[in-house]
Amino acid sequence: MTADREKNCEKKVKIAELKLNKILNKIDAINLNNYFISNLNIPGSNSKIKCLTLCVGLKKYFTLALIVVSIIGYWWIYSGALITGCFVKLPEQSKSLFRSPEDCSMCINVNDVTRLANISAEEFEDLYAYNTKPVIVTDATKDWEALEKFNFNFFADFYRNTKMGRKINDCFYFAYKSGLNSLSEVFSMDEMRANLSGDPWYVGWSTCYEEETKTLRKYYNRPYFLPRTAESDMVDWIFMGGPGQGAHMHVDSVRHVSWQAQVRGRKRWQLAPPPECLYACVPLAFTVHSGEILVVDTNRWYHKTNVLPGDISITIGAEYD
Ligand SMILES: O=C(O)CCC(=O)C(=O)O
């Protein structure tokens, strides 16, 4: 009886070993690279082997494709980051979602905009240059040629004939609701629209080449009231367009406070405190007339503009530190 049992047991162990071997063989067959190499030259390989060979081949291509895609993806993200300084470009509107909360002392007791004239750079520095109360200086563009020369055709000629290395569509550009997607589209507009008789439009752009900024700056000066030590980058902003148009309510994430000279036309500004200060502060609204310069921290005040009826609106602006 015991001998029988032992035999039975041995049989079962053998069967188990056989099954295990079968499984191990299968696993070995799934060791695809070995399988591919060992079966590649077998004449008359059956269809299963062919299929496995094909799968292995595909697997190799897949691995290769994955490597190529990873390299291209890495290069794309990295080179983008080198050019723009960031890895992910956020849509303009989403930037305000990620700003840090404001200290509401920036807007408490600010109930209106102050108009100033004949103010020294020292006094301006002490009282206005670096605080958050918006001010308008009314006498700072008196000798600016821009007031006379800047119009749609001036910029159209300037950018069409530019020989200063600026490609017309380089730098920042804002189309707002114009449907004009680049500066070249702006300056290929038909005459009727350019004269504000067709579809309304409003656009903004920055200069970004030293030569371009230098050439434009021949038509306007550094505002006389800016602190003597204040410096500006070689980047200016230009906003241009017709009545009823303007920038939507937004907050900027530029580096510094800016001055904005109304070279032509009149523009209504609405400033709103940041949402977290809505109960502590009041919104402001005022008109900037031709020849006046607004100084405002657009990184802290939400702002919206609207060109008033009449002439085309042209604004030149720059940041200062
Ligand atoms: O001048 C305008 O219409 C818009 C200005 C503006 O939005 C800005 O400077 O951030």
Side-chain angles (χ1 to χ4, degrees):
M1 191 69 181
T2 341
D4 270 3
R5 265 196 185 168
E6 266 178 13
K7 261 190 182 172
N8 236 346
C9 206
E10 264 174 28
K11 213 174 165 185
K12 277 185 182 165
V13 169
K14 274 217 167 122
I15 291 171
E17 263 179 17
L18 273 173
K19 279 188 178 165
L20 190 66
N21 265 342
K22 261 190 181 174
I23 293 170
L24 286 176
N25 277 343
K26 271 193 186 160
I27 291 173
D28 198 36
I30 296 167
N31 184 350
L32 295 170
N33 288 328
N34 292 344
Y35 198 87
F36 180 54
I37 291 162
S38 59
N39 288 286
L40 193 61
N41 297 319
I42 293 177
S45 321
N46 67 26
S47 58
K48 247 188 187 170
I49 292 173
K50 275 185 188 155
C51 171
L52 273 167
T53 308
L54 183 69
C55 292
V56 173
L58 284 181
K59 186 195 162 206
K60 282 205 160 173
Y61 282 123
F62 181 73
T63 313
L64 193 70
L66 203 67
I67 292 170
V68 171
V69 167
S70 308
I71 291 173
I72 292 176
Y74 180 78
W75 168 83
W76 184 65
I77 292 173
Y78 188 69
S79 60
L82 283 182
I83 293 164
T84 62
C86 34
F87 278 93
V88 181
K89 187 169 173 3
L90 292 173
E92 213 45 47
Q93 281 85 345
S94 67
K95 284 186 189 160
S96 60
L97 296 176
F98 300 108
R99 65 183 178 84
S100 33
E102 272 297 348
D103 171 356
C104 297
S105 63
M106 67 149 278
C107 54
I108 288 173
N109 295 329
V110 179
N111 301 317
D112 53 15
V113 64
T114 305
R115 284 192 136 78
L116 307 165
N118 196 22
I119 183 160
S120 69
E122 290 71 27
E123 195 183 350
F124 189 81
E125 180 169 1
D126 284 348
L127 299 177
Y128 305 107
Y130 301 109
N131 74 33
T132 49
K133 183 171 170 51
V135 294
I136 292 174
V137 183
T138 58
D139 61 350
T141 60
K142 278 192 180 129
D143 49 357
W144 286 18
E145 241 187 293
L147 267 68
E148 223 181 275
K149 294 265 167 69
F150 282 5
N151 55 32
F152 181 87
N153 287 334
F154 172 92
F155 287 108
D157 289 346
F158 181 75
Y159 283 111
R160 277 190 209 131
N161 302 327
T162 186
K163 291 186 186 75
M164 53 196 61
R166 184 200 208 271
K167 291 191 196 83
I168 195 166
N169 293 323
D170 289 350
C171 323
F172 284 100
Y173 172 78
F174 298 113
Y176 298 112
K177 293 181 190 160
S178 66
L180 300 162
N181 293 317
S182 62
L183 264 196
S184 37
E185 282 187 33
V186 172
F187 296 121
S188 349
M189 223 188 301
D190 64 55
E191 214 180 312
M192 199 169 109
R193 194 172 182 203
N195 290 334
L196 310 179
S197 307
D199 280 351
W201 57 272
Y202 191 75
V203 296
W205 72 93
S206 78
T207 63
C208 61
Y209 287 91
E210 200 168 318
E211 196 69 23
E212 171 194 15
T213 315
K214 268 189 186 161
T215 312
L216 286 177
R217 283 186 185 175
K218 288 184 185 149
Y219 296 87
Y220 48 92
N221 305 327
R222 181 181 190 274
Y224 76 84
F225 55 81
L226 290 187
R228 298 199 196 291
T229 53
E231 293 202 23
S232 305
D233 296 331
M234 281 309 269
V235 171
D236 288 348
W237 288 88
I238 300 152
F239 294 91
M240 178 163 77
Q245 303 297 299
H248 54 274
M249 185 62 87
H250 67 285
V251 71
D252 291 341
S253 54
V254 291
R255 292 196 308 158
H256 304 295
V257 186
S258 58
W259 57 264
Q260 319 238 359
Q262 189 69 34
V263 168
R264 277 192 104 92
R266 297 174 302 147
K267 202 157 59 184
R268 187 91 182 141
W269 282 74
Q270 281 175 262
L271 303 187
E276 60 275 29
C277 303
L278 278 181
Y279 293 107
C281 306
V282 293
L284 310 177
F286 49 85
T287 299
V288 183
H289 298 266
S290 172
E292 295 182 333
I293 298 184
L294 168 68
V295 178
V296 62
D297 191 342
T298 55
N299 295 310
R300 306 187 74 188
W301 284 96
Y302 279 68
H303 52 286
K304 177 180 191 308
T305 58
N306 190 266
V307 177
L308 295 175
D311 202 359
I312 191 171
S313 168
I314 298 179
T315 309
I316 301 285
E319 293 169 51
Y320 65 89
D321 67 9

